[in-house]
Every structure is written in structure tokens, then in C-alpha cells.
Amino acid sequence: MAAVKGPTPSYRQRQALETRRAIARAARSLFSERGYAAASIDAVAEQAGVAARTVYAIFGTKKAILGAICEDWLAEAGVMESVAAGMAEPGLGRRLAVVARSSRRQWESERGVLAMLEGAAASDAEVARMVTGWRDDRGRSLHAVVAGCEADLHRGLDLERAGAIIRALTSAQVYTELVAGEGWTPDQYEAWLLELLEETLLEARRPQA
């Protein structure tokens, strides 16, 4: 059956979407260069080549712009698609392979967003709550990787402990230490991560088809 396509966006809708993206790109550059607190809406508008009232009309607040930057980053990394793909796999071994690939793609495409978020959270309590919520969501997603596959776990491991291990091993800090600090390639990181996840979590190494 042929896929049903949605209505083609109008010229005005495409123009509005491109303006939104231009503002987010400009804000990402300024937040990285000057810091979140020091970069004003007016400066973002000037960098994007639009009027300040346009930025307010589209986003309203700097926090909303920051949220859009994060959404663009996660979309580029394919995080949501990876989560869906992982949960569709029947066995934990295959799910861990998806986790390793998703972790690699997420941190490989991060390019300063985490430092930007940490800086913004330090100066804005609302952003700090947003970041905490994002981390909690990520933790729940990683715990869900194990759900339904508890029989595949090493004896003595339960869902909560296994999820905590996945969350720790796939952290941005581990990726940064190995890739930026030790000079590993992203491919080497992904292969190492998958092997360690399998050895730590699986009851027995299972050959992948």
C-alpha cells in the first residue's frame, strides 16, 4: 500500500519554518560564543537577520529557543527513531546494539550543546528544570530498553540495576573521555560500548544474525 502523504506546506509555511531554523542557528552560535545569559533576544535577532519582534512572535523566550536547539540536535542524531527501533527488537542483545549506535550518534552530533545547556542551567532556574527533565526522560528511555527482556540478563541483575548501568556507560562524559580525551574514533567507541554492554548485562553472549 502506498504511503499517504500529508498536504504540501505552503510557501508561507516553508518560509516560517526556515525563519525558525535561522533563529535557532543564530542563537546556537551566540549562546556558544557569549553564553546563554549574555546573549540577548535583540542580539539573536540581529544575528539571524530578522526583527526582534519576529523572534518573540515565534519563540517568546530564550528558553524556548534553547528547547528548539535541543530538538534540532536530537532530530539530527535520530534519537527518537533509535528508541523506537530499539524497542521493536525482540531480544536484549539486539536492543543493546541499537543503544550503542544511538549513543554514538547522539554525542557525535552534540557539538557544544551540552556545555551550552549547563551554562544556561547555571543562570536560569527554569532551564535547570528543563535539563533535569530531559535527563530523567533519557534515563527512563534507557531503562525501558531492558523491559520485557529481563530473562536475558545476567543472574542477579534486575531491570532497575541494568538500566542504571546502561545510563552510566552511555553518558556523554564517557564518550568525551574516550573520543576527545583518548583519541578514539566514534567507530571504536561504538564497538567498545556494545562489547562492554553485552559482557556486563547479557547472561550469555549471543551471536547476532
Side-chain angles (χ1 to χ4, degrees):
M1 181 180 295
V4 177
K5 295 182 178 180
T8 302
S10 67
Y11 171 76
R12 179 168 294 184
Q13 288 171 326
R14 293 196 302 271
Q15 190 176 44
L17 181 58
E18 183 52 41
T19 299
R20 178 184 176 88
R21 288 172 176 162
I23 293 169
R25 287 194 298 267
R28 183 169 179 169
S29 174
L30 283 176
F31 292 169
S32 297
E33 178 185 339
R34 303 182 186 179
Y36 177 81
S40 66
I41 291 286
D42 286 344
V44 170
E46 182 179 357
Q47 179 87 351
V50 300
R53 64 177 178 273
T54 301
V55 179
Y56 283 111
I58 294 175
F59 290 104
T61 65
K62 286 200 297 182
K63 177 191 170 188
I65 301 174
L66 195 63
I69 292 171
C70 292
E71 288 172 8
D72 288 347
W73 161 40
L74 297 178
E76 179 185 347
V79 170
M80 298 310 297
E81 292 86 349
S82 294
V83 170
M87 296 308 297
E89 293 290 355
L92 183 57
R94 291 184 179 275
R95 291 187 183 186
L96 293 178
V98 175
V99 167
R101 171 58 58 88
S102 176
S103 179
R104 175 255 181 94
R105 290 179 60 186
Q106 183 172 2
W107 306 133
E108 190 176 22
S109 62
E110 178 261 329
R111 294 193 296 275
V113 175
L114 287 179
M116 183 190 309
L117 285 172
E118 291 171 2
S123 63
D124 188 318
E126 290 188 1
V127 173
R129 286 191 289 272
M130 182 179 75
V131 172
T132 297
W134 173 72
R135 287 174 176 161
D136 289 345
D137 287 344
R138 180 174 182 272
R140 282 189 290 270
S141 296
L142 292 173
H143 277 73
V145 167
V146 185
C149 298
E150 290 87 346
D152 293 341
L153 291 172
H154 271 310
R155 284 186 291 273
L157 280 180
D158 58 18
L159 187 150
E160 289 301 316
R161 189 173 179 84
I165 290 170
I166 296 172
R167 184 173 183 174
L169 293 179
T170 60
S171 69
Q173 291 83 355
V174 171
Y175 177 88
T176 300
E177 178 64 28
L178 294 176
V179 176
E182 296 297 326
W184 288 23
T185 67
D187 282 343
Q188 289 172 325
Y189 161 82
E190 182 181 340
W192 166 84
L193 177 60
L194 176 56
E195 183 176 9
L196 185 57
L197 287 171
E198 288 176 336
E199 290 178 349
T200 306
L201 299 175
L202 291 181
E203 176 62 23
R205 295 291 294 275
R206 293 168 171 78
Q208 300 298 306

